[in-house]
Amino acid sequence: MAEHKSYSNKIGLWGWLGGGRWGFERYLYTLHRITGLGMLLYFCLHIFVTSSRVFGLDAWEKWMGTFESPLFMVGEFLVFVAFAFHALNGIRLILIELGFSVGKAEEPVYPYKSSLNVQRPLMVVLMIVAAVLVAAGGYDLFALSH
Amino acid sequence: MTKKVQKETDITFYIRRYNPEKDDKPHWQKFTVHVEPGMTVLDGLHNIKETQDGTLSLRYSCRMGVCGSCGMLLNGRPSLACNTQILDIAKKVLTVASLPNFDIVKDLVPDLTPLFEKHISIHPHILRGDSGEMLNPTGEFYQSPDELTGYLQFTYCIKCGLCMSACPTIATDPEYLGPQALPQSYRYSKDTRDDGFNQRKKIVGDTHGAFRCHYAGECSNVCPKGVDPARAIQLMKRQLVWDYLKLRRRRAKSPILGKPEGVERIPEIPEPPPFTV
C-alpha cells in the first residue's frame, strides 16, 4: 500500500475524562480509575507517615498533629469516599468480568438493549450501599469524633 | 408513542477538516444547511459537497446502516452518518469529525487499518483439527438453534469502528485488541463447529487482550447493530478464567451429518451445485 500522510487522532487521557453524550457506566469507569490512583497516593503517604515512628516519638507526634487540621479531616473523608466507591464498584466489576450479571447472547431487536441494562440493578444497589457507607463514615468522622 | 414534530430549519455544521497535502493539523469549518425532517447527516454532508464545497471528503457506501463505512463523531458521539437524522441530535449546531482513536486520512475519512489488523489477528474463521473434513466435506456440521443463539448476536458486526472510537481503554492503550476483535474471538470460540479456543486464548488472554476491558460499556451504547461487544468481552473473560482454573467445560465438536440413509430425494428439488473451492 502506498505511504500517505495522516493525522494521529488518538485522544489519550481525554478518552477517560471527555464527557458528552456518554453512558453512566463510563463515568464509573473513570471514577474507578481516579479513586484507585487516589488511594495509591494515600497509601504511599500513609507508609511515609507511619515510617516516621522509627525516628522517635516526637517525629511521630509532630506528623500526627499535622493531620488534626480540618483540611486533613476533609482529606481523610475523601479517602474514605474513594474507598467505599472503589470497593463496591470493584465488586460489581469482578462479578461482571466473570460473566455474571451481563445476561446471555440474544437476538438484537431495535431499540437495542444491552448487557448494561442487565447489570444496572446490581450497579444501583451497590452504589446505594456505597452512599450509605459514605454517609455513615461522614457521620462518624464529623459528628461523633467531635 | 407520540412522534416528535420536527420542522425544517437551518442547521450550522461545524466540520473538522484535514487535508494532508496542506494542513499540519485539523481545523473546523462552518457551513449552513437547510435541513428538512428526515434528513440524515449523510444527506447534509452530500448537500455541502454538492452546493458549497466539493473538496469535502467522506467515506460512505450503502446509505442504510449495513456497510459500516460512514462512521463519524457526531456531536461528540460516534455514530453512523447514514442512520442518524440531523434533527434528532441537533437544534441549531451539529459538529462532525472523523472517528477518534483512528488516524485521519482526510477530512472525515478515518484510517481503519488497526481495526482490520486486530480483527485478523484473532483468526476470525472456523478453526478445526480435522482439516481433511474442512477441505473435502462429507456432510454438514450439526448445530442446534440454541447453540446458534449463543453467538448469533455477535455475528452482526459490520466493522464500522464506532465501538473502538468510543472505547476509553483504546484511547490510552492503542495496542488493546478492543471491542471489535474481542467479541469476534468469543463469537468463534462459542461456535460449536469451532475448535480454536486454545489458539485464540494466547492472543485474547494476553496483556492487551480481554482483561484490559473494565466495562465502560460505551462500545455497546454506540453499536448501530445491537452487537453488545461489552457482553461478549465479559463472556470471553469468563471462558478464559474458567479455562485457567481448569473448570471450563469441554464441549463436543459439532457432529458431521452425512446424507440421510434409506430415504429418497424429492425429485423437484435440484441437486446443489458442485464445490467451487
Side-chain angles (χ1 to χ4, degrees):
Chain A
M1 204 171 91
E3 286 293 316
H4 59 82
K5 183 185 161 193
S6 60
Y7 180 79
S8 174
N9 199 22
K10 294 178 181 68
I11 48 178
L13 271 183
W14 185 244
W16 294 9
L17 304 173
R21 301 165 61 198
W22 300 118
F24 192 72
E25 283 73 14
R26 187 184 182 115
Y27 294 107
L28 296 185
Y29 168 97
T30 306
L31 210 52
H32 197 78
R33 293 197 154 189
I34 292 170
T35 52
L37 290 170
M39 282 195 295
L40 183 65
L41 178 68
Y42 169 78
F43 185 62
C44 294
L45 284 172
H46 179 68
I47 290 174
F48 172 75
V49 170
T50 49
S51 67
S52 68
R53 186 64 184 83
V54 296
F55 299 108
L57 194 58
D58 287 348
W60 166 258
E61 283 179 347
K62 185 185 156 202
W63 275 109
M64 286 298 107
T66 313
F67 296 129
E68 281 173 11
S69 74
L71 188 68
F72 279 99
M73 289 272 289
V74 172
E76 205 172 8
F77 178 63
L78 288 179
V79 170
F80 182 73
V81 171
F83 158 74
F85 169 78
H86 200 85
L88 273 299
N89 194 49
I91 290 171
R92 179 183 75 98
L93 289 177
I94 289 170
L95 289 173
I96 285 173
E97 295 193 24
L98 288 174
F100 298 108
S101 192
V102 290
K104 290 180 179 173
E106 57 192 30
E107 180 75 17
V109 178
Y110 193 82
Y112 304 125
K113 287 195 174 353
S114 69
S115 56
L116 296 163
N117 301 84
V118 181
Q119 61 82 47
R120 202 149 282 151
L122 173 73
M123 184 267 285
V124 170
V125 168
L126 289 173
M127 288 304 107
I128 289 172
V129 175
V132 170
L133 270 178
V134 167
Y139 181 70
D140 180 63
L141 195 66
F142 295 112
L144 295 184
S145 304
H146 296 278
Chain B
M1 199 171 77
T2 52
K3 188 159 171 57
K4 199 165 50 177
V5 180
Q6 294 173 330
K7 291 181 181 171
E8 58 185 272
T9 183
D10 284 345
I11 298 284
T12 305
F13 278 57
Y14 284 95
I15 300 180
R16 197 167 183 238
R17 307 288 306 268
Y18 171 72
N19 183 347
E21 291 173 2
K22 294 180 186 168
D23 304 327
D24 288 328
K25 59 181 185 179
H27 61 276
W28 292 95
Q29 191 173 352
K30 183 179 168 184
F31 299 94
T32 303
V33 178
H34 187 71
V35 174
E36 294 174 0
M39 263 179 81
T40 64
V41 176
L42 189 61
D43 293 333
L45 293 171
H46 274 303
N47 183 295
I48 292 168
K49 194 168 170 67
E50 286 163 8
T51 63
Q52 300 184 52
D53 189 344
T55 64
L56 179 67
S57 294
L58 61 147
R59 185 191 285 142
Y60 67 95
S61 183
C62 73
R63 301 174 186 233
M64 55 183 183
V66 174
C67 72
S69 299
C70 63
M72 295 171 196
L73 193 69
L74 305 179
N75 272 2
R77 184 183 173 92
S79 317
L80 291 183
C82 69
N83 73 354
T84 306
Q85 294 192 13
I86 299 169
L87 296 178
D88 281 351
I89 59 167
K91 286 182 179 168
K92 288 182 178 170
V93 173
L94 175 66
T95 60
V96 186
S98 183
L99 287 178
N101 294 339
F102 292 107
D103 290 356
I104 304 174
V105 177
K106 191 180 178 192
D107 292 341
L108 303 172
V109 183
D111 182 359
L112 297 180
T113 308
L115 182 151
F116 294 112
E117 284 175 347
K118 288 172 184 177
H119 182 67
I120 291 166
S121 74
I122 56 96
H123 305 292
H125 47 84
I126 298 286
L127 293 169
R128 283 176 74 97
D130 49 357
S131 55
E133 183 63 30
M134 292 289 281
L135 293 172
N136 298 299
T138 57
E140 296 176 3
F141 299 132
Y142 174 77
Q143 193 165 61
S144 72
D146 278 351
E147 289 169 342
L148 174 68
T149 308
Y151 69 85
L152 183 64
Q153 178 176 25
F154 312 120
T155 65
Y156 291 119
C157 174
I158 56 172
K159 298 159 196 72
C160 56
L162 300 191
C163 53
M164 291 179 72
S165 93
C167 176
T169 303
I170 289 189
T172 46
D173 178 12
E175 300 297 311
Y176 170 49
L177 280 173
Q180 193 282 324
L182 289 169
Q184 294 312 302
S185 71
Y186 179 74
R187 173 254 174 274
Y188 284 99
S189 297
K190 187 68 179 169
D191 193 326
T192 50
R193 297 168 297 176
D194 182 271
D195 193 25
F197 177 79
N198 286 334
Q199 203 169 329
R200 287 193 194 92
K201 79 176 180 185
K202 292 174 193 154
I203 304 155
V204 298
D206 206 356
T207 317
H208 300 288
F211 291 99
R212 290 288 282 161
C213 167
H214 299 300
Y215 204 68
E218 280 311 317
C219 48
S220 298
N221 279 333
V222 301
C223 179
K225 307 304 283 184
V227 168
D228 200 353
R231 171 182 282 158
I233 298 173
Q234 313 320 310
L235 295 175
M236 189 71 213
K237 284 186 215 171
R238 182 196 186 102
Q239 281 199 354
L240 289 166
V241 171
W242 266 213
D243 180 73
Y244 182 76
L245 298 173
K246 312 239 181 289
L247 295 172
R248 185 169 177 262
R249 260 188 299 176
R250 294 262 161 215
R251 57 169 164 72
K253 262 193 304 190
S254 294
I256 298 164
L257 294 184
K259 285 184 179 175
E261 292 173 4
V263 289
E264 284 186 14
R265 190 179 181 84
I266 299 171
E268 293 87 52
I269 299 177
E271 286 287 334
F275 290 115
T276 54
V277 289

